[in-house]
Protein backbone atom coordinates (compact mmCIF):
# COMPACT_ATOMS: atom_id res chain seq x y z
CA UNK A 1 0.00 0.00 0.00
CA UNK A 2 1.57 3.21 -1.24
CA UNK A 3 -0.29 5.42 1.25
CA UNK A 4 1.63 3.99 4.19
CA UNK A 5 4.88 5.25 2.65
CA UNK A 6 3.66 8.84 2.37
CA UNK A 7 3.89 11.10 5.38
CA UNK A 8 0.94 12.98 6.84
CA UNK A 9 1.36 16.63 5.85
CA UNK A 10 0.48 19.59 8.08
CA UNK A 11 -1.25 22.68 6.64
CA UNK A 12 -1.37 26.13 8.30
CA UNK A 13 -4.94 27.24 9.12
CA UNK A 14 -5.06 30.97 9.83
CA UNK A 15 -8.13 32.85 11.09
CA UNK A 16 -9.75 33.88 7.79
CA UNK A 17 -11.89 31.69 5.57
CA UNK A 18 -10.10 31.77 2.22
CA UNK A 19 -6.94 30.11 3.64
CA UNK A 20 -8.98 27.31 5.17
CA UNK A 21 -10.76 26.68 1.86
CA UNK A 22 -7.46 26.57 -0.07
CA UNK A 23 -6.13 24.10 2.51
CA UNK A 24 -9.20 21.84 2.01
CA UNK A 25 -8.80 21.99 -1.79
CA UNK A 26 -5.14 21.00 -1.43
CA UNK A 27 -6.11 18.27 1.03
CA UNK A 28 -8.72 16.72 -1.31
CA UNK A 29 -6.21 16.66 -4.18
CA UNK A 30 -3.39 15.25 -2.01
CA UNK A 31 -5.60 12.45 -0.70
CA UNK A 32 -7.49 11.47 -3.81
CA UNK A 33 -4.95 12.41 -6.47
CA UNK A 34 -1.60 11.65 -4.87
CA UNK A 35 -2.58 9.03 -2.27
CA UNK A 36 -1.47 10.94 0.83
CA UNK A 37 -3.10 10.28 4.20
CA UNK A 38 -5.58 12.98 5.31
CA UNK A 39 -3.50 16.07 6.21
CA UNK A 40 -3.53 17.68 9.65
CA UNK A 41 -4.31 21.37 10.20
CA UNK A 42 -2.52 23.58 12.70
CA UNK A 43 -4.50 26.67 13.71
CA UNK A 44 -2.79 29.91 14.72
CA UNK A 45 -1.61 33.38 13.79
CA UNK A 46 0.50 33.87 10.65
CA UNK A 47 3.88 34.61 12.22
CA UNK A 48 4.07 31.64 14.64
CA UNK A 49 2.86 29.35 11.83
CA UNK A 50 5.55 30.67 9.48
CA UNK A 51 8.15 30.08 12.18
CA UNK A 52 6.69 26.58 12.56
CA UNK A 53 7.12 26.04 8.84
CA UNK A 54 10.76 27.10 8.94
CA UNK A 55 11.31 24.60 11.81
CA UNK A 56 9.48 21.79 10.02
CA UNK A 57 6.39 21.63 12.27
CA UNK A 58 4.20 22.94 9.41
CA UNK A 59 4.62 21.75 5.81
CA UNK A 60 2.43 24.01 3.65
CA UNK A 61 1.09 27.56 3.91
CA UNK A 62 -1.38 28.66 1.19
CA UNK A 63 -1.67 32.41 1.91
CA UNK A 64 1.23 34.46 3.17
CA UNK A 65 0.40 38.19 2.91
CA UNK A 66 4.07 38.93 2.36
CA UNK A 67 3.90 42.73 2.86
CA UNK A 68 2.66 42.21 6.42
CA UNK A 69 5.52 39.84 7.28
CA UNK A 70 8.15 41.07 4.83
CA UNK A 71 11.31 40.73 6.92
CA UNK A 72 10.41 37.43 8.59
CA UNK A 73 9.36 35.85 5.29
CA UNK A 74 12.40 37.12 3.40
CA UNK A 75 14.72 35.79 6.11
CA UNK A 76 13.19 32.28 5.96
CA UNK A 77 13.34 32.19 2.17
CA UNK A 78 16.92 33.54 2.18
CA UNK A 79 18.16 31.06 4.80
CA UNK A 80 16.63 28.21 2.80
CA UNK A 81 14.21 26.83 5.45
CA UNK A 82 11.12 27.64 3.35
CA UNK A 83 10.44 27.85 -0.37
CA UNK A 84 8.29 30.62 -1.86
CA UNK A 85 6.18 28.88 -4.53
CA UNK A 86 4.63 32.00 -6.07
CA UNK A 87 1.28 33.73 -5.69
CA UNK A 88 -2.01 31.98 -4.88
CA UNK A 89 -4.08 34.65 -6.65
CA UNK A 90 -3.24 37.88 -8.49
CA UNK A 91 -2.11 40.74 -6.29
CA UNK A 92 -4.97 41.58 -3.97
CA UNK A 93 -6.45 45.09 -3.98
CA UNK A 94 -7.71 47.13 -1.04
CA UNK A 95 -9.08 50.65 -0.93
CA UNK A 96 -12.25 52.70 -1.09
CA UNK A 97 -15.33 51.27 -2.78
CA UNK A 98 -18.82 52.36 -3.89
CA UNK A 99 -21.65 50.22 -5.31
CA UNK A 100 -21.27 50.08 -9.11
CA UNK A 101 -24.96 51.05 -9.59
CA UNK A 102 -24.13 54.54 -8.26
CA UNK A 103 -22.02 55.10 -11.37
CA UNK A 104 -23.69 52.92 -14.01
CA UNK A 105 -27.22 52.53 -12.64
CA UNK A 106 -29.00 49.17 -12.54
CA UNK A 107 -31.93 49.06 -15.01
CA UNK A 108 -33.02 45.67 -13.65
CA UNK A 109 -33.65 47.26 -10.25
CA UNK A 110 -34.88 50.58 -11.64
CA UNK A 111 -31.80 52.41 -10.33
CA UNK A 112 -30.59 55.46 -12.31
CA UNK A 113 -26.90 56.44 -12.15
CA UNK A 114 -26.56 58.87 -9.20
CA UNK A 115 -22.88 59.72 -9.68
CA UNK A 116 -22.12 58.96 -13.35
CA UNK A 117 -18.77 60.78 -13.26
CA UNK A 118 -17.49 59.31 -10.00
CA UNK A 119 -14.18 57.63 -10.82
CA UNK A 120 -11.67 58.80 -8.26
CA UNK A 121 -11.38 59.88 -4.62
CA UNK A 122 -10.83 63.42 -5.97
CA UNK A 123 -14.43 63.38 -7.33
CA UNK A 124 -15.94 62.66 -3.89
CA UNK A 125 -16.36 66.29 -2.70
CA UNK A 126 -18.78 66.95 -5.61
CA UNK A 127 -20.94 64.03 -4.51
CA UNK A 128 -20.78 64.31 -0.71
CA UNK A 129 -24.55 64.93 -0.34
CA UNK A 130 -25.34 61.47 -1.74
CA UNK A 131 -23.51 59.96 1.25
CA UNK A 132 -25.07 62.32 3.84
CA UNK A 133 -24.31 61.17 7.39
CA UNK A 134 -27.22 60.71 9.85
CA UNK A 135 -25.01 61.95 12.72
CA UNK A 136 -23.52 64.93 10.87
CA UNK A 137 -26.00 66.01 8.16
CA UNK A 138 -23.58 68.65 6.83
CA UNK A 139 -21.13 65.89 5.82
CA UNK A 140 -21.01 62.61 3.91
CA UNK A 141 -20.28 59.34 5.72
CA UNK A 142 -17.21 57.20 5.01
CA UNK A 143 -17.35 53.69 6.53
CA UNK A 144 -13.89 53.05 7.95
CA UNK A 145 -12.42 49.65 8.82
CA UNK A 146 -12.57 48.47 12.47
CA UNK A 147 -10.48 50.10 15.24
CA UNK A 148 -7.02 48.56 15.60
CA UNK A 149 -6.60 47.62 11.94
CA UNK A 150 -3.58 49.12 10.16
CA UNK A 151 -5.90 50.30 7.36
CA UNK A 152 -8.05 52.32 9.78
CA UNK A 153 -5.22 54.66 10.74
CA UNK A 154 -4.02 54.84 7.11
CA UNK A 155 -7.50 55.88 5.94
CA UNK A 156 -7.53 58.67 8.55
CA UNK A 157 -4.23 60.05 7.24
CA UNK A 158 -5.35 59.76 3.58
CA UNK A 159 -8.59 61.53 4.47
CA UNK A 160 -6.82 64.64 5.74
CA UNK A 161 -4.36 64.73 2.86
CA UNK A 162 -7.09 64.32 0.25
CA UNK A 163 -8.89 67.25 1.94
CA UNK A 164 -12.00 65.10 2.45
CA UNK A 165 -12.44 66.02 6.11
CA UNK A 166 -14.18 69.24 4.93
CA UNK A 167 -17.06 67.28 3.33
CA UNK A 168 -16.92 63.85 4.96
CA UNK A 169 -17.01 62.27 8.36
CA UNK A 170 -15.12 59.04 9.20
CA UNK A 171 -17.55 56.54 10.65
CA UNK A 172 -16.14 53.67 12.73
CA UNK A 173 -17.89 50.41 11.87
CA UNK A 174 -16.65 48.60 14.98
CA UNK A 175 -16.02 45.19 13.38
CA UNK A 176 -15.42 43.35 10.14
CA UNK A 177 -19.00 41.97 10.33
CA UNK A 178 -20.49 45.44 10.91
CA UNK A 179 -18.54 46.87 7.94
CA UNK A 180 -19.91 44.12 5.67
CA UNK A 181 -23.43 44.48 7.09
CA UNK A 182 -23.46 48.23 6.35
CA UNK A 183 -22.53 47.52 2.70
CA UNK A 184 -25.15 44.81 2.28
CA UNK A 185 -27.91 46.91 3.90
CA UNK A 186 -27.26 49.89 1.60
CA UNK A 187 -26.89 47.64 -1.44
CA UNK A 188 -30.19 45.84 -0.89
CA UNK A 189 -31.98 49.21 -0.75
CA UNK A 190 -30.08 50.55 -3.77
CA UNK A 191 -28.66 53.37 -1.66
CA UNK A 192 -25.27 55.12 -1.78
CA UNK A 193 -22.42 53.68 0.30
CA UNK A 194 -18.76 54.65 0.56
CA UNK A 195 -16.09 52.88 2.56
CA UNK A 196 -13.01 50.75 2.87
CA UNK A 197 -12.84 47.13 1.72
CA UNK A 198 -10.53 44.55 0.18
CA UNK A 199 -10.46 41.47 -2.02
CA UNK A 200 -10.87 38.56 -1.84
CA UNK A 201 -13.82 38.89 0.51
CA UNK A 202 -17.27 37.21 0.54
CA UNK A 203 -19.08 40.53 0.39
CA UNK A 204 -17.21 41.37 -2.84
CA UNK A 205 -18.41 38.09 -4.32
CA UNK A 206 -21.99 38.92 -3.42
CA UNK A 207 -22.11 42.61 -4.46
CA UNK A 208 -20.93 44.49 -7.56
CA UNK A 209 -18.63 47.18 -6.13
CA UNK A 210 -16.22 49.61 -7.83
CA UNK A 211 -12.80 50.50 -6.41
CA UNK A 212 -12.28 54.28 -6.63
CA UNK A 213 -9.04 55.43 -8.23
CA UNK A 214 -6.37 57.12 -6.13
CA UNK A 215 -3.05 58.64 -7.19
CA UNK A 216 -0.74 55.80 -8.29
CA UNK A 217 1.05 53.97 -5.47
CA UNK A 218 4.35 55.69 -4.71
CA UNK A 219 6.62 54.15 -2.02
CA UNK A 220 7.99 57.58 -0.98
CA UNK A 221 4.47 58.93 -0.33
CA UNK A 222 3.22 55.66 1.15
CA UNK A 223 6.10 55.27 3.61
CA UNK A 224 5.67 58.82 4.92
CA UNK A 225 3.29 58.26 7.87
CA UNK A 226 2.02 61.85 7.58
CA UNK A 227 1.17 61.58 3.88
CA UNK A 228 0.04 58.20 2.44
CA UNK A 229 -2.06 60.06 -0.17
CA UNK A 230 -1.79 57.41 -2.86
CA UNK A 231 -3.27 54.00 -3.70
CA UNK A 232 -2.67 51.10 -1.33
CA UNK A 233 0.12 48.82 -2.57
CA UNK A 234 -1.39 45.64 -4.00
CA UNK A 235 -0.66 42.69 -1.78
CA UNK A 236 1.53 39.79 -2.92
CA UNK A 237 -0.03 36.65 -1.45
CA UNK A 238 2.44 33.76 -1.57
CA UNK A 239 2.29 29.99 -1.07
CA UNK A 240 5.13 28.36 0.79
CA UNK A 241 6.41 24.92 1.75
CA UNK A 242 8.99 23.68 4.23
CA UNK A 243 12.23 22.99 2.34
CA UNK A 244 12.77 19.43 3.57
CA UNK A 245 9.28 18.44 2.33
CA UNK A 246 10.10 20.15 -0.95
CA UNK A 247 13.18 17.93 -1.26
CA UNK A 248 11.39 14.67 -0.41
CA UNK A 249 8.17 15.33 -2.39
CA UNK A 250 8.96 17.02 -5.73
CA UNK A 251 5.44 16.23 -7.03
CA UNK A 252 4.02 18.31 -4.16
CA UNK A 253 6.21 21.28 -5.09
CA UNK A 254 5.12 21.05 -8.71
CA UNK A 255 1.44 20.94 -7.71
CA UNK A 256 1.61 23.84 -5.21
CA UNK A 257 3.72 25.91 -7.64
CA UNK A 258 1.03 25.57 -10.30
CA UNK A 259 -1.82 26.18 -7.82
CA UNK A 260 -3.34 29.53 -8.83
CA UNK A 261 -6.81 30.97 -8.45
CA UNK A 262 -8.47 34.25 -9.48
CA UNK A 263 -9.84 36.97 -7.21
CA UNK A 264 -13.30 36.33 -8.70
CA UNK A 265 -13.09 32.62 -7.76
CA UNK A 266 -12.07 33.52 -4.19
CA UNK A 267 -14.87 36.10 -3.89
CA UNK A 268 -17.26 33.48 -5.33
CA UNK A 269 -16.54 30.65 -2.90
CA UNK A 270 -16.50 33.10 0.04
CA UNK A 271 -19.93 34.42 -1.04
CA UNK A 272 -21.11 30.78 -1.36
CA UNK A 273 -20.04 30.16 2.26
CA UNK A 274 -21.85 33.25 3.49
CA UNK A 275 -25.08 32.63 1.55
CA UNK A 276 -25.29 28.92 2.42
CA UNK A 277 -23.73 28.99 5.89
CA UNK A 278 -21.30 26.49 4.41
CA UNK A 279 -18.04 25.38 6.05
CA UNK A 280 -14.61 25.26 4.41
CA UNK A 281 -14.96 21.56 3.42
CA UNK A 282 -18.17 22.30 1.49
CA UNK A 283 -16.64 25.40 -0.09
CA UNK A 284 -13.64 23.35 -1.29
CA UNK A 285 -15.96 20.84 -2.97
CA UNK A 286 -17.99 23.72 -4.45
CA UNK A 287 -14.78 25.12 -5.95
CA UNK A 288 -13.58 21.76 -7.29
CA UNK A 289 -16.94 21.04 -8.94
CA UNK A 290 -17.38 24.53 -10.38
CA UNK A 291 -13.85 25.19 -11.70
CA UNK A 292 -12.49 21.90 -13.10
CA UNK A 293 -10.54 23.67 -15.87
CA UNK A 294 -8.68 25.67 -13.25
CA UNK A 295 -7.50 22.80 -11.04
CA UNK A 296 -6.86 20.32 -13.86
CA UNK A 297 -4.23 22.75 -15.13
CA UNK A 298 -2.31 22.26 -11.86
CA UNK A 299 -2.05 18.47 -12.18
CA UNK A 300 -0.69 15.72 -14.41
CA UNK A 301 -3.56 14.10 -16.39
CA UNK A 302 -3.54 10.79 -14.46
CA UNK A 303 -3.73 12.61 -11.09
CA UNK A 304 -6.52 14.91 -12.34
CA UNK A 305 -8.44 11.81 -13.46
CA UNK A 306 -8.29 10.33 -9.93
CA UNK A 307 -9.46 13.59 -8.37
CA UNK A 308 -12.35 13.76 -10.85
CA UNK A 309 -13.42 10.20 -9.99
CA UNK A 310 -13.33 10.98 -6.28
CA UNK A 311 -15.40 14.15 -6.80
CA UNK A 312 -18.19 12.10 -8.42
CA UNK A 313 -18.57 10.24 -5.12
CA UNK A 314 -19.21 13.49 -3.22
CA UNK A 315 -22.74 14.88 -3.06
Amino acid sequence: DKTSQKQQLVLADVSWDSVKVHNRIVSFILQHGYGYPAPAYTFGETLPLLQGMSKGDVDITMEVWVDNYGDAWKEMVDNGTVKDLGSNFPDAPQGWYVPTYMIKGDPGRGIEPMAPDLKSVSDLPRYWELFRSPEVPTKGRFHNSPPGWAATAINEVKFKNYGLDKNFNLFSTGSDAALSASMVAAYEKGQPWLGYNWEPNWVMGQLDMTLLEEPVYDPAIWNDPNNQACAYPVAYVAKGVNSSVAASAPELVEFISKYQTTLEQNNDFLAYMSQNEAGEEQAAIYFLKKYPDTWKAWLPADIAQKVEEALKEVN
Side-chain angles (χ1 to χ4, degrees):
D1 176 19
K2 275 176 136 169
T3 311
S4 59
Q5 296 158 18
K6 299 207 171 178
Q7 67 191 95
Q8 183 189 39
L9 296 169
V10 179
L11 291 122
D13 258 359
V14 213
S15 60
W16 57 93
D17 286 332
S18 56
V19 188
K20 295 181 194 169
V21 177
H22 289 297
N23 284 346
R24 301 319 178 272
I25 294 168
V26 168
S27 168
F28 192 91
I29 291 172
L30 287 176
Q31 288 177 74
H32 300 287
Y34 290 98
Y36 276 82
Y41 304 100
T42 298
F43 185 76
E45 294 297 322
T46 299
L47 201 55
L49 288 174
L50 289 181
Q51 286 157 346
M53 189 165 65
S54 79
K55 289 197 201 90
D57 301 331
V58 174
D59 298 309
I60 304 169
T61 308
M62 289 306 290
E63 276 188 38
V64 183
W65 291 68
V66 171
D67 298 341
N68 301 348
Y69 303 97
D71 296 343
W73 180 245
K74 190 177 177 321
E75 203 173 298
M76 292 172 200
V77 172
D78 289 350
N79 71 23
T81 54
V82 305
K83 275 195 175 330
D84 182 325
L85 297 183
S87 61
N88 182 331
F89 38 78
D91 292 346
Q94 54 181 319
W96 299 1
Y97 289 81
V98 297
T100 302
Y101 56 68
M102 290 190 68
I103 302 164
K104 295 184 177 164
D106 183 347
R109 296 172 67 194
I111 300 173
E112 295 288 319
M114 308 163 211
D117 300 321
L118 176 57
K119 286 191 181 66
S120 150
V121 294
S122 60
D123 301 322
L124 285 169
R126 308 210 312 265
Y127 290 114
W128 75 265
E129 291 176 30
L130 286 172
F131 304 101
R132 198 185 289 275
S133 165
E135 307 78 32
V136 191
T138 55
K139 292 188 172 186
R141 176 191 272 190
F142 176 91
H143 296 81
N144 205 356
S145 42
W149 288 21
T152 307
I154 292 167
N155 289 332
E156 287 170 12
V157 175
K158 282 175 180 265
F159 226 70
K160 285 195 187 72
N161 289 315
Y162 287 147
L164 291 173
D165 44 353
K166 297 181 196 63
N167 306 103
F168 284 85
N169 154 42
L170 278 163
F171 178 76
S172 173
T173 46
S175 70
D176 177 0
L179 178 63
S180 299
S182 71
M183 283 174 83
V184 173
Y187 200 97
E188 285 174 349
K189 296 183 190 129
Q191 292 173 346
W193 185 92
L194 166 67
Y196 169 82
N197 223 274
W198 68 95
E199 296 177 64
N201 186 346
W202 69 267
V203 77
M204 292 305 196
Q206 215 164 298
L207 313 177
D208 181 2
M209 303 294 290
T210 292
L211 179 64
L212 295 175
E213 291 170 11
E214 294 182 67
V216 175
Y217 170 71
D218 175 337
I221 293 172
W222 182 258
N223 294 319
D224 173 355
N226 300 314
N227 189 341
Q228 298 188 307
C230 64
Y232 277 87
V234 286
Y236 169 56
V237 184
K239 304 156 304 190
V241 296
N242 166 273
S243 294
S244 62
V245 168
S248 64
E251 78 281 6
L252 177 72
V253 175
E254 195 184 343
F255 158 41
I256 304 289
S257 298
K258 288 184 174 168
Y259 188 112
Q260 270 210 309
T261 56
T262 66
L263 286 168
E264 289 77 15
Q265 287 167 350
N266 282 267
N267 290 339
D268 177 32
F269 69 61
L270 292 168
Y272 165 83
M273 288 177 82
S274 164
Q275 286 160 335
N276 299 283
E277 296 186 358
E280 49 267 17
E281 303 277 351
Q282 286 165 279
I285 297 298
Y286 168 83
F287 173 89
L288 289 163
K289 290 195 166 182
K290 185 165 176 182
Y291 300 108
D293 293 350
T294 299
W295 61 259
K296 283 179 182 174
W298 310 334
L299 306 169
D302 58 326
I303 303 284
Q305 181 77 43
K306 289 178 190 167
V307 174
E308 197 164 32
E309 292 303 318
L311 262 183
K312 287 179 188 159
E313 307 294 310
V314 184
N315 294 325

